[in-house]
Amino acid sequence: MHRVDEIRSRLRGAADASRAAGQQAYMKSDLPFLGVRVPETRRIARAAAAGETDPLRILDDARELWDAASHREERYAAMMLLAVPPARADLRIVPLVEHMVRTGCWWDVTDELSGRVRELLDEHPRDGDALVRGWCVSEELWLRRLAILSQLGRRERTDLRLLTDALEPNLRDGEFFIRKAIGWALRDAARAYPEWVYAYVAAHALSPLSRREALKHL
């Protein structure tokens, strides 16, 4: 069975109609849900890609799943395919990541894909740095959110200079999802660099939301 058809079939086999309507309402999604939990969607995507050695085949399948999706979990599975070897941390995923962000236009998309950018920063620091610096000043707010969140989970590997440069052009943005992302990025950085985050918050005119999120666990 073709991998895309296999994923679609397995998602439908795991569907739960009693959960689907609530998921769609929570996500404010135009696409309906099947009612599959995110961990199960991730497991299905990983299983379908197991043993694949060609990153371009994974990218083609992810693009097909995304563009032809009739339910949101198909888009989730498409994003999750980018996290499996050999596609993970391959620079060739970048155009598809941008396509997903620009056409998905919601927080669940950027938040999932931020992990792919983190992997690029780890494996290709120069190229990853250039991507984040370009996205953080994009006209597309979801690409800016992606740039701000791109180092989540890096702990001691967090590039504080890059984080500063990603935050700076967005500090005066009144958009909720940008202000929330700023606070979240700082809160995560505080796990490894609490004194730096304290100093950053003290030195910058953050929105109340960003400030509250940044200092949440300090």
Side-chain angles (χ1 to χ4, degrees), residues 97-133:
V97 166
E98 289 198 10
H99 173 69
M100 289 173 168
V101 171
R102 288 184 180 277
T103 56
C105 293
W106 203 234
W107 62 265
D108 57 339
V109 175
T110 57
D111 296 5
E112 172 66 27
L113 292 175
S114 68
R116 309 292 74 75
V117 185
R118 179 181 67 243
E119 292 156 1
L120 291 175
L121 285 167
D122 286 342
E123 295 297 322
H124 308 281
R126 182 175 299 177
D127 294 287
D129 184 287
L131 285 170
V132 170
R133 292 181 186 282

Side-chain angles (χ1 to χ4, degrees), residues 186 189-190 193-204 206 211 214-218:
L186 289 169
Y193 300 104
E195 293 182 359
W196 182 89
V197 171
Y198 266 128
Y200 186 92
V201 171
H204 293 80
L206 302 182
R211 181 180 298 274
L215 300 176
K216 198 168 189 176
H217 299 307
L218 293 179

Side-chain angles (χ1 to χ4, degrees), residues 3 49 52-63 81-82 84-87 96:
R3 181 163 35 239
E52 179 59 74
T53 60
D54 185 351
L56 296 181
R57 290 181 63 183
I58 294 178
L59 294 183
D60 286 345
D61 290 343
R63 178 70 180 245
L81 282 177
L82 302 185
V84 302
L96 186 51

